[in-house]
Amino acid sequence: MAAMGQQGEGRRVLNLVVKADVQGSTEALRDSLTKLSTDLISINVIGSGVGGISESDASLALSSKALMIGFNVRADAGARKLAEGNNVDIRYYNIIYDAVDEVKAAMSGMLAPEQREEVIGTAEIRTKFVASKIGTVAGCMITAGVVRRGARVRVLRDHTVVYSGEVESVRRMKDDVREVKEGFECGVKIKNYNEIAEGDQLEFFEVKEVARTL
């Protein structure tokens, strides 16, 4: 979405240029769209008017990185050429609610995705050993869920996090495997960390991006 900027601390701005067939529609659109503003995103109608979308309207949208909305109107040849050559986004509508819904969807798309953590498994370190080509490996019993190569891991000692990192490899019966499930023993190599101890607990998790909505 081209019509995006910053305003204040952390607040984004969606600039709009609104043109409609009659004054009543222009005012209704401007009022409805402005009311969509939230604490995270501000709607800023930088230009509005009655009649077709002209080259000057498209120039305003270009200079302000604004989204253009035409309600029961269309862009003239000059405006179309300028818009097509400069990636100015022009949207046409004949129902106000459709315009409001699409702008709201555009606002949601401007929000950075939320980083959400999901615990996928836990394990108890029963022993540790050193493999010549690998380094220190935790001999574990998977007590819940699953351990997966590449997952994030926390090392807990007396219920206190002493290290947070990444699972470098998982070994089962001397073979490298992708994952091991609850109830099975395996060897877990933690990337760049060798200070494990018998009795430590391992918590495996993944961080996923979840789209935010308004």
Side-chain angles (χ1 to χ4, degrees):
M1 172 59 59
M4 178 168 58
Q6 295 285 147
Q7 180 182 34
E9 187 175 345
R11 196 181 194 198
R12 292 176 178 270
V13 181
L14 179 58
N15 290 327
L16 302 176
V17 175
V18 177
K19 294 298 290 289
D21 53 344
V22 295
Q23 186 64 32
S25 295
T26 303
E27 293 173 355
L29 265 172
R30 187 175 57 233
D31 292 345
S32 297
L33 295 171
T34 302
K35 288 176 181 177
L36 292 176
S37 293
T38 69
D39 291 339
L40 297 175
I41 300 177
S42 175
I43 295 294
N44 184 22
V45 179
I46 61 171
S48 63
V50 175
I53 297 170
S54 66
E55 188 172 347
S56 62
D57 294 324
S59 295
L60 175 61
L62 175 61
S63 63
S64 305
K65 297 181 179 179
L67 168 65
M68 288 219 61
I69 292 179
F71 186 81
N72 283 333
V73 296
R74 292 295 184 269
D76 64 22
R80 286 198 304 271
K81 183 177 180 180
L82 189 149
E84 290 168 1
N86 295 277
N87 294 318
V88 175
D89 196 356
I90 302 179
R91 308 280 182 93
Y92 298 114
Y93 304 96
N94 55 20
I95 299 174
I96 288 179
Y97 295 117
D98 288 345
V100 171
D101 286 345
E102 278 210 24
V103 169
K104 192 171 183 179
M107 292 169 66
S108 293
M110 290 168 62
L111 297 174
E114 177 184 354
Q115 301 286 324
R116 188 171 297 174
E117 182 182 300
E118 178 184 349
V119 175
I120 61 172
T122 57
E124 180 183 335
I125 297 179
R126 300 286 176 84
T127 186
K128 69 174 184 177
F129 54 92
V130 179
S132 58
K133 295 182 179 180
I134 301 175
T136 303
V137 177
C140 300
M141 168 63 75
I142 307 303
T143 53
V146 63
V147 55
R148 190 171 292 136
R149 185 194 319 128
R152 304 287 297 171
V153 59
R154 293 189 187 90
V155 181
L156 291 87
R157 190 168 298 154
D158 297 324
H159 305 290
T160 300
V161 177
V162 296
Y163 184 77
S164 183
E166 181 182 334
V167 175
E168 183 173 315
S169 63
V170 181
R171 301 181 69 82
R172 171 84 179 147
M173 306 294 287
K174 296 184 179 180
D175 295 323
D176 279 317
V177 295
R178 180 177 179 273
E179 65 178 35
V180 175
K181 296 181 180 180
E182 178 180 348
F184 291 93
E185 295 182 333
C186 65
V188 174
K189 175 70 173 73
I190 300 174
K191 191 173 185 178
N192 300 323
Y193 187 71
N194 297 316
E195 306 306 314
I196 54 174
E198 292 181 14
D200 286 351
Q201 304 291 319
L202 301 181
E203 182 179 72
F204 308 107
F205 63 99
E206 295 177 342
V207 178
K208 298 182 178 180
E209 289 192 346
V210 180
R212 297 169 66 186
T213 56
L214 295 167

